[in-house]
Amino acid sequence: MMNTTRKMFQVRQGQYLLLFACFSIAYMQRLDITVAIVAMTDRFSANPDFPEFPWDLKTKSKILSAFFWGYFILQIPGGVLARKFGPKPVLTTAIFVGSCASLLIPKCAEFFDWPVVSALQFIQGLSQGLVHPSVYTHISQWSPVNERSRAVGIVFSGQQFGSVICLLLTGHLASSVLGWPSVFYKSGILGLLWTTAWLVWGAESPASHKTITLEERSFIGLNTAVTDKSEKVDSKIPWKAILTSRPVIVLSLANICNNWVFWSLVTLLPSFLSSVYGFNIKNNSYFSTLPHLSMFVLAIIFGAISDTILRKKLLSVNANRKLWNSVAQWGGAVAMFSIAIFRDSQTITLIMMTVGLAINSAIYLGFISNPMDLSPNYAGILMGLTNCLSNVASTLAPLFAGFIIKDEKNADEWAIIFYTCAFILVFSNAVFLIFGSTKIQKWNSLKNVG
């Protein structure tokens, strides 16, 4: 019995690990520019033997926001494509294209300046717009309900793992004999290697996996609410029911608000530490890494705790989701208020920045898991829809900062950004607590859609 149980977990955990690696590489590619841009615009912060570009904050904000314009466009189509063709070919295309864009950035920056770098960031955004919907589609087919929190925690912690590796290596690579171009080459090569591994070991569903045991296949099938693949592909998507669903609207709002705050911090943190506290790129990498490392560890711990709570029936799924969402968003609001109030204290700022982003990992067990609660059959489409809307905020947040901050060394101007983030988080979680739901929606079943 012990051997059978152990075997039952091997195949689906292998799929989780592949998705973990996918997110790790995707986030390396996404974040490379946020740290490398410091070296690209100040050669003396890294290896001075490589090109320097005279980009001001507004130009840098345009480059940083270009990714999100592309990311916005393919979110909903990504969900539809993953549902129709399966997540394997969609993820293959996404990571391959993003990797090629990473490899092209250094030379294009040197010869064509910031407009082409922005265009490549836009292309990376397009490709990564396919990632989240595909991953959700894959998880919904592979994860039994009673271990879904842990599965989501493991897979999504890849975002933080990739961020940690990116931020730790970027400073060293930019300062090495390889210079800042090596930052982009590293992520591009890793992405091509992952694409190969995914083609070999990735599987659309338990039914299509060649070596999965009958016991595990049956176990997964009995513990998910996903319908037969042929029924899903041939059916029409209940768009009207989805777009008018109150839980989906609340989910979208939570995602919009959280993305504004998260990407305000992630994209601007290196510039903030460099401008206000005078960190060089190596120190910047170390301190920018702390929040992501903490998120990586806590995402796994929180996921295990959440599954234990549900398994022992200490809380309902609804209460559990709202508990973790509150930890993430109201806890994060306290951290943002603290940074704004004690902005002249470097120590308090670093501690609260780390705490605020670290506990944000609890969203994986809050609204991030909510699409699979509401509709396992359309989880990828729900994530594509809500992520599409949320990335309007991701795009506008850096531009808002560029509008507010006239003097990058002025901590008082940065405080406005942190106060704004705090108020957004308070509002977001209040709405989720009052109006959020975890009930499977009627339109998840084709029989209930007119």
Side-chain angles (χ1 to χ4, degrees), residues 189-205:
I189 292 170
L190 287 175
L192 296 179
L193 292 174
W194 181 88
T195 301
T196 303
W198 177 245
L199 287 172
V200 174
W201 292 302
E204 297 286 2
S205 67

Side-chain angles (χ1 to χ4, degrees), residues 212-434:
I212 191 172
T213 64
L214 179 61
E215 291 86 355
E216 181 176 7
R217 182 182 298 165
S218 299
F219 177 75
I220 295 172
L222 291 171
N223 287 276
T224 62
V226 178
T227 58
D228 179 74
K229 184 178 180 181
S230 61
E231 181 184 7
K232 287 171 60 184
V233 172
D234 294 338
S235 66
K236 292 183 179 180
I237 300 169
W239 284 114
K240 182 179 179 181
I242 290 173
L243 295 174
T244 57
S245 169
R246 188 175 74 176
V248 173
I249 293 171
V250 172
L251 170 62
S252 300
L253 178 64
N255 209 340
I256 289 169
C257 292
N258 204 81
N259 260 27
W260 178 287
V261 175
F262 184 79
W263 288 106
S264 289
L265 298 181
V266 170
T267 58
L268 297 170
L269 180 57
S271 295
F272 171 71
L273 294 177
S274 175
S275 300
V276 176
Y277 298 128
F279 285 13
N280 60 38
I281 193 166
K282 282 188 177 180
N283 288 335
N284 208 330
S285 294
Y286 290 137
F287 285 106
S288 295
T289 295
L290 285 175
H292 296 285
L293 179 60
S294 302
M295 286 187 77
F296 169 65
V297 174
L298 287 183
I300 296 173
I301 294 174
F302 287 165
I305 295 172
S306 178
D307 274 351
T308 300
I309 289 173
L310 293 175
R311 187 172 60 253
K312 294 186 175 182
K313 298 182 179 180
L314 300 177
L315 291 174
S316 66
V317 173
N318 188 57
N320 191 55
R321 292 280 181 260
K322 292 179 178 180
L323 167 66
W324 292 109
N325 211 73
S326 298
V327 169
Q329 295 196 324
W330 280 354
V334 171
M336 295 303 101
F337 276 125
S338 299
I339 293 171
I341 293 169
F342 301 103
R343 55 188 173 275
D344 293 328
S345 172
Q346 177 176 308
T347 301
I348 292 177
T349 295
L350 291 174
I351 291 173
M352 298 312 296
M353 188 75 73
T354 300
V355 170
L357 283 172
I359 62 177
N360 192 255
S361 61
I363 64 166
Y364 300 144
L365 318 172
F367 77 82
I368 289 291
S369 292
N370 202 213
M372 288 179 282
D373 298 326
L374 301 177
S375 177
N377 282 326
Y378 299 105
I381 289 174
L382 290 187
M383 175 44 62
L385 171 64
T386 60
N387 228 25
C388 173
L389 297 174
S390 73
N391 278 282
V392 175
S394 302
T395 304
L396 295 177
L399 298 177
F400 173 75
F403 175 77
I404 294 295
I405 300 172
K406 306 302 180 184
D407 178 5
E408 291 185 61
K409 298 182 183 297
N410 189 333
D412 292 337
E413 292 184 2
W414 283 97
I416 298 173
I417 304 300
F418 298 124
Y419 278 127
T420 302
C421 289
F423 283 118
I424 288 173
L425 289 176
V426 170
F427 171 74
S428 172
N429 192 57
V431 173
F432 190 76
L433 288 179
I434 297 170

Side-chain angles (χ1 to χ4, degrees), residues 87-98:
K88 187 171 182 176
V90 180
L91 278 178
T92 301
T93 302
I95 300 302
F96 178 78
V97 171

